């Protein structure tokens, strides 16, 4: 007795291949990659900046500009106001009295030379005492000229002022002649003596 087995199920023809699962959409990875690249560039730039700052020596502080100096040249002092003529003449005559004392001292200094001996005589320069006396007289004549000139008052009457000026010039000439043992000394003395007499007359 034959057994009747159930017939195997016939597969569908043509056979159907198994359907693969639906493919998944690929994830978008570029934003993450771009962000990572940007972060790396930022870190690299920051590191480079820090290294550059550390390696660069600090710059010296800018110097403040020096204040400008303005040099002002002082002009000559203003001339003194003229004095009344009477007062000016009295001051000028007083100045001559001071200068005349220096002239007297010069005469005493040169008095070491024997009377009648000119200062240009070679014996005067060969004698240390006589030579020193002449040079001392020269200094005193120069002091007399400077003293008198500095004290002639502004406002002095014209005649007295003119004689005073010529006396200063003659005193300087005598001083230079004595200092150089110049023969001109023989002519300068009479000029000075003439001015001296005029001042003695104008300044009683």
């Amino acid at each position: 007795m034959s057994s009747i087995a159930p017939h195997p199920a016939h597969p569908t023809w043509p056979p159907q291949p198994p359907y693969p699962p639906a493919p998944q959409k690929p994830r978008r990875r570029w934003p993450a990659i771009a962000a990572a690249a940007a972060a790396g560039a930022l870190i690299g730039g920051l590191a480079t900046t820090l290294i550059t700052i550390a390696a660069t020596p600090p710059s010296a502080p800018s110097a403040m500009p020096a204040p400008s100096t303005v040099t002002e040249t002082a002009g000559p002092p203003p001339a003194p106001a003229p004095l009344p003529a009477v007062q000016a003449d009295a001051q000028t005559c007083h100045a001559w009295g001071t200068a005349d004392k220096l002239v007297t001292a010069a005469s005493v200094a040169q008095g070491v030379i024997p009377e009648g001996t000119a200062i240009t005589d070679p014996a005067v320069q060969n004698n240390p005492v006589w030579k020193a006396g002449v040079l001392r007289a020269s200094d005193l004549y120069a002091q007399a000229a400077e003293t008198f000139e500095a004290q002639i008052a502004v406002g002095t009457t014209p005649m007295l002022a003119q004689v005073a000026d010529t006396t200063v010039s003659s005193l300087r000439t005598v001083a230079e002649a004595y200092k150089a043992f110049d023969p001109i000394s023989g002519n300068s003395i009479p000029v000075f003596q003439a001015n001296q007499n005029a001042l003695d007359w104008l300044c009683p």
Side-chain angles (χ1 to χ4, degrees):
M1 181 175 182
S2 60
S3 60
I4 301 173
H7 294 284
H10 296 284
T12 307
W13 191 262
Q16 297 295 326
Y19 293 99
Q24 297 180 355
K25 294 182 179 181
R27 297 180 180 178
R28 295 181 179 180
R29 297 181 180 179
W30 66 266
I33 295 173
L42 179 61
I43 293 174
L46 181 59
T48 302
T49 303
L50 292 175
I51 292 173
T52 303
I53 293 174
T56 303
S59 59
S62 59
M64 295 295 292
S68 59
T69 302
V70 178
T71 303
E72 296 183 0
T73 304
L83 298 173
V86 175
Q87 184 179 351
D89 287 354
Q91 180 174 322
T92 299
C93 288
H94 182 270
W96 166 241
T98 303
D100 195 31
K101 293 177 181 178
L102 293 170
V103 172
T104 301
S107 298
V108 173
Q110 72 188 58
V112 296
I113 301 175
E115 187 175 355
T117 303
I119 65 171
T120 55
D121 193 318
V124 174
Q125 297 187 49
N126 293 330
N127 187 309
V129 176
W130 295 354
K131 183 177 181 180
V134 174
L135 294 177
R136 176 57 179 165
S138 171
D139 290 340
L140 290 168
Y141 284 129
Q143 290 180 34
E146 296 296 329
T147 299
F148 192 22
E149 182 182 41
Q151 298 180 25
I152 297 175
V154 179
T156 301
T157 52
M159 181 179 293
L160 177 58
Q162 184 175 1
V163 174
D165 289 340
T166 56
T167 302
V168 169
S169 297
S170 63
L171 281 169
R172 286 191 175 131
T173 302
V174 172
E176 290 298 321
Y178 272 53
K179 183 177 181 180
F181 295 90
D182 196 311
I184 197 177
S185 61
N187 298 325
S188 61
I189 291 296
V191 174
F192 162 69
Q193 289 175 340
N195 285 284
Q196 185 180 32
N197 292 334
L199 283 171
D200 290 342
W201 180 76
L202 292 170
C203 297

